[in-house]
Amino acid sequence: MYRIGFIDDDNSLNDVYAKRLSRKDIELCFVDDCDTMQDVVSWILDAGIKCMIVDYQLTNQYNFKGTELVAYINAELPDLQCVILTNYKDTGISENLVIKNLFYERDIFEQGMDSEEFQEFVNTLKQATVIFDNRLKRHLEEYEQLKAQKDNETIRAIDEERMISIYKVLRAYGEVDDIPAELLTSSVSKQMSSILQSLNELIDKTE
């Protein structure tokens, strides 16, 4: 199933939304126990979310609007697509924080299951997850190239930062082994090599 996140300040219709989308092979996961935008990003990574549905009017529960959250997510996770669900489409579009074709009227869930409007909405969500998966594969290839440079001690500092940033996302989605990101830095690697060399020398002396 396609795993998609949802954040709203009103959960009264969550079961209805989840049931409708499950019939279209979409698993809807609801943001829980988050207060800040950074909390939401952490939840996205922990839950393995590949696309987000964001309610526009979040201010009954949060101190930010949906468009502000999407802008933040786009900055932190550029490959993760978000759509805005709203009763205030024109207002949201006028803020110029999210492109207009990613806005959907909330009554999209009231459309017939086989209606053209609802199917277009579903297809947008599914395509977003496919795009995310494809970009994740490209990031894995880039990570492996940068990791080889690090292992050969030919990596630049800026590329090392890029490698660690990519690694954190890949690790969240189970694409690489789970090791502390700090161990990927050249300084730590050199320290580990020095420790291992000292241990080997000590072993040689005791034999």
Side-chain angles (χ1 to χ4, degrees), residues 23-195:
R23 294 172 181 167
K24 296 293 186 178
D25 201 30
I26 291 175
E27 178 187 6
L28 202 58
C29 305
F30 299 96
V31 170
D32 183 42
D33 196 26
C34 291
D35 296 319
T36 67
M37 290 189 283
Q38 181 56 57
D39 289 341
V40 175
V41 169
S42 297
W43 176 86
I44 288 171
L45 293 174
D46 290 342
I49 299 302
K50 298 182 177 182
C51 173
M52 281 291 294
I53 301 174
V54 178
D55 177 56
Y56 171 71
Q57 196 77 354
L58 291 173
T59 49
N60 287 335
Q61 184 173 343
Y62 304 96
N63 62 357
F64 48 83
K65 290 184 293 188
T67 45
E68 294 172 321
L69 176 60
V70 170
Y72 184 85
I73 292 172
N74 290 163
E76 296 294 311
L77 301 170
D79 297 315
L80 193 136
Q81 304 295 309
C82 301
V83 301
I84 297 283
L85 202 65
T86 181
N87 289 324
Y88 311 94
K89 189 173 181 179
D90 291 338
T91 301
I93 291 173
S94 68
E95 294 175 359
N96 288 318
L97 291 174
V98 179
I99 59 175
K100 66 179 182 180
N101 64 333
L102 292 179
F103 282 85
Y104 285 89
E105 298 283 358
R106 181 175 285 275
D107 64 7
I108 190 68
F109 280 102
E110 299 173 11
Q111 304 296 320
M113 288 289 292
D114 296 321
S115 68
E116 183 178 345
E117 294 82 3
F118 188 68
Q119 193 57 51
E120 179 192 348
F121 176 64
V122 167
N123 289 341
T124 297
L125 298 177
K126 289 183 176 181
Q127 184 184 23
T129 65
V130 171
I131 289 172
F132 183 85
D133 281 335
N134 288 337
R135 290 182 178 180
L136 208 61
K137 291 176 183 177
R138 289 178 177 266
H139 288 322
L140 181 58
E141 294 172 359
E142 182 183 1
Y143 167 76
E144 290 173 345
Q145 292 172 358
L146 293 173
K147 181 67 164 54
Q149 291 178 26
K150 190 195 79 69
D151 292 341
N152 294 330
E153 298 185 355
T154 60
I155 195 170
R156 300 178 302 170
I158 189 172
D159 292 329
E160 185 173 79
E161 291 178 5
R162 170 68 177 166
M163 180 190 70
I164 294 172
S165 175
I166 294 173
Y167 168 78
K168 290 178 180 178
V169 175
L170 291 172
R171 180 179 62 182
Y173 290 91
E175 297 291 333
V176 293
D177 293 335
D178 189 5
I179 60 174
E182 291 77 9
L183 294 181
L184 294 174
T185 62
S186 296
S187 59
V188 173
S189 295
K190 290 178 180 178
Q191 291 174 14
M192 292 294 292
S193 296
S194 177
I195 292 172

